Amino acid sequence: MENATKKCFAYLRVSSNGQIDGDGFPRQRAAIKRWADANGVQIVRWFEERGVSGKTELENRPALQDLLEALASNGVRTVVIEKLDRLARDLMVQETILAEFRKQSFELISVAEPDLCSDDPSRTMVRQIFGAISQYERAMIVSKLRGARQRMRAKTGRCEGAKPFGTLDGESDTLARLLALRESGSNYEATARQLNAENVKTRSGGKWFAATVRKIALAQ
C-alpha cells in the first residue's frame, strides 16, 4: 500500500467457547499481523468474536456490532480479516454482512483472499463460490458428527454430549441469577458484564461473554 500510516481494525472469530483458548485466535492474529507488516498498515484495534457460529446473523454478533459502531465514529474505515469464513460460514449471512459494509462505505480486506470483497462481477462470483464451499464444508462436518453419534448410540445404547448448564453441582444458583438478570430486561452483553462483576464463574471457571449467556438462555 502507498500510505504507510493507514490504520485498520481487525476482526477475529472462533465458533465455540472450547476454541477460545485454542489456536484459532493466535493463528488469525499472526496472519493479520504478517499482512499488516508487509503492507505498512497499523492495526489499531482488535475485535474478537468469542464462541459465535459462522452461521450467526449480524444482530447476534456483539464484537462485530462494536466494530461497526467504532468504524462509524472514529475515522477508521477498513477492516482486516484472516479469511472470509471468519466473517461467515453461511453464504447468505456472508453476503448480508458484506452488504452492510458496502452500504456504510467500509472496506473489508481478507488476508487469504486478496480483492475478493470488491464489486467486480468475477470477484463477486468467486467470493460467493467460496462462501458456498465453506457452507458445504460446515454442513459435512455436522453430518459426520451426527453420524458418529448415531453409530455410538447404536453400539453402546447411549451417546451423551455436554450436560445442560444448571445440571452440575453448583450451577443451579448461577443459572437462576442469569435468568433473573435476563427477566429484568438485561441483554446478553449486560448480563455477561454483571455476572463477571459479581465474580460468578462459567462452567470452565472463566469469564462470561454475551454468546455464552445467549446459548444458555435459549436452552431453557
Side-chain angles (χ1 to χ4, degrees):
M1 288 189 180
E2 296 182 0
N3 185 357
T5 61
K6 183 171 183 177
K7 297 180 179 180
C8 300
F9 291 150
Y11 177 75
L12 306 87
R13 182 187 63 80
V14 295
S15 299
S16 67
N17 291 328
Q19 295 176 314
I20 291 174
D21 295 325
D23 181 59
F25 282 142
R27 186 201 70 239
Q28 293 174 58
R29 188 178 287 265
I32 291 171
K33 281 184 175 180
R34 284 194 300 271
W35 177 89
D37 291 342
N39 289 276
V41 168
Q42 180 185 4
I43 304 297
V44 296
R45 189 172 172 187
W46 300 80
F47 294 80
E48 295 184 352
E49 203 78 80
R50 295 171 167 250
V52 175
S53 166
K55 295 181 68 176
T56 303
E57 301 281 356
L58 173 60
E59 61 267 23
N60 292 316
R61 295 196 187 197
L64 188 55
Q65 290 186 33
D66 289 345
L67 183 150
L68 288 169
E69 290 178 8
L71 285 171
S73 64
N74 74 355
V76 175
R77 309 290 289 179
T78 303
V79 177
V80 183
I81 57 177
E82 181 201 22
K83 52 185 178 178
L84 277 173
D85 69 6
R86 295 304 85 202
L87 186 69
R89 275 188 174 274
D90 181 281
L91 180 58
M92 293 302 295
V93 173
Q94 177 194 100
E95 291 303 306
T96 298
I97 295 174
L98 288 173
E100 183 65 25
F101 271 77
R102 286 194 293 271
K103 184 174 70 174
Q104 302 292 337
S105 297
F106 300 145
E107 180 184 12
L108 182 71
I109 296 173
S110 168
V111 172
E113 301 124 343
D115 300 328
L116 277 186
C117 299
S118 72
D119 288 330
D120 175 76
S122 296
R123 292 294 188 183
T124 299
M125 179 187 69
V126 173
R127 184 182 69 238
Q128 292 176 347
I129 290 172
F130 277 17
I133 291 171
S134 180
Q135 184 175 344
Y136 170 77
E137 288 175 343
R138 183 186 185 281
M140 288 301 296
I141 290 171
V142 171
S143 177
K144 288 178 181 178
L145 290 173
R146 184 184 300 115
R149 287 195 297 268
Q150 290 173 346
R151 289 191 296 273
M152 179 64 71
R153 188 176 294 111
K155 181 178 180 180
T156 66
R158 63 187 180 86
C159 182
E160 296 182 356
K163 293 184 179 297
F165 190 87
T167 59
L168 300 184
D169 290 343
E171 291 182 346
S172 58
D173 290 343
T174 301
L175 178 60
R177 178 60 177 149
L178 183 154
L179 296 178
L181 288 169
R182 291 286 299 142
E183 289 173 1
S184 70
S186 178
N187 61 26
Y188 298 131
E189 188 71 32
T191 299
R193 285 198 302 268
Q194 184 60 34
L195 291 172
N196 289 329
E198 296 175 6
N199 201 31
V200 176
K201 300 299 183 182
T202 63
R203 174 174 287 178
S204 62
K207 291 186 177 181
W208 289 90
F209 297 96
T212 313
V213 173
R214 177 178 180 273
K215 181 178 179 180
I216 292 173
L218 292 178
Q220 302 307 307

